[in-house]
Amino acid sequence: MVSAAQAKLVQSSWEKVVPIADTAADLFYGKLFELDPALRPLFPADMKEQKSKLMKLLGFAVKGLDDLDALVPSVKRLGMRHAKYYKVTTPMYDTVGAALLDALEKGLGDSWDEEHKEAWAAVYTVLSKVMIEAGDESVEVGEHKQDS
């Protein structure tokens, strides 16, 4: 679970990411493809729009931490789309989480510390779990429809 203090820490640190959004997105995708080069073909050659989508999505999620009950349905839909259309698997979420924490650490520099890492990891763990579960459910439903 994400504590109120962790949510506030993530939100306040996000304010420092916004001005460096392009750099943060570059750091994220650079690390993601370094950690798992097999993920690169899942993305377009021109990453400009994808990077923009990532930063908007992260901003939406960070803002939504004030009301997780309202955020969760959107996160579920995102998980379902990632499973259905992009064939995202559970291990990929670990790689994405590692790339995100690495990008935040590099992007935030001296203002990044263990407390920030724990807060962001807690948020990512909760949201990725929602996405994974929703994705698994949507895949299972799709398989059952095919069996009918």
Side-chain angles (χ1 to χ4, degrees):
M1 197 66 205
V2 177
S3 71
Q6 287 175 319
K8 292 298 176 203
L9 190 59
V10 166
Q11 289 171 326
S12 66
S13 61
W14 181 252
E15 291 173 12
K16 296 174 185 170
V17 174
V18 171
I20 61 158
D22 291 342
T23 300
D26 288 341
L27 290 168
F28 170 78
Y29 283 109
K31 187 64 172 184
L32 183 68
F33 301 145
E34 175 189 321
L35 292 171
D36 189 350
L39 294 177
R40 183 62 186 96
L42 299 177
F43 295 89
D46 182 353
M47 292 289 292
K48 184 175 182 172
E49 186 178 339
Q50 180 65 35
K51 290 174 183 179
S52 176
K53 286 180 183 179
L54 170 72
M55 299 315 288
K56 286 178 185 170
L57 177 66
L58 288 172
F60 173 79
V62 167
K63 184 175 182 179
L65 293 175
D66 288 331
D67 187 357
L68 276 176
D69 290 337
L71 178 62
V72 165
S74 295
V75 174
K76 282 184 177 180
R77 286 190 298 276
L78 186 65
M80 293 164 94
R81 281 195 312 272
H82 276 73
K84 182 177 180 179
Y85 298 112
Y86 310 116
K87 309 299 184 220
V88 173
T89 62
T90 300
M92 292 176 184
Y93 283 93
D94 292 337
T95 307
V96 168
L100 177 62
L101 293 177
D102 185 76
L104 290 165
E105 179 179 5
K106 288 176 179 161
L108 293 173
D110 292 340
S111 62
W112 182 260
D113 58 23
E114 194 61 30
E115 192 176 17
H116 282 88
K117 182 178 181 179
E118 289 173 11
W120 276 94
V123 167
Y124 183 77
T125 298
V126 167
L127 297 181
S128 64
K129 183 178 179 191
V130 169
M131 288 180 70
I132 290 165
E133 289 173 358
D136 288 349
E137 288 173 19
S138 71
V139 169
E140 288 171 14
V141 168
E143 288 171 355
H144 292 304
K145 284 183 181 177
Q146 290 174 354
D147 294 341
S148 300

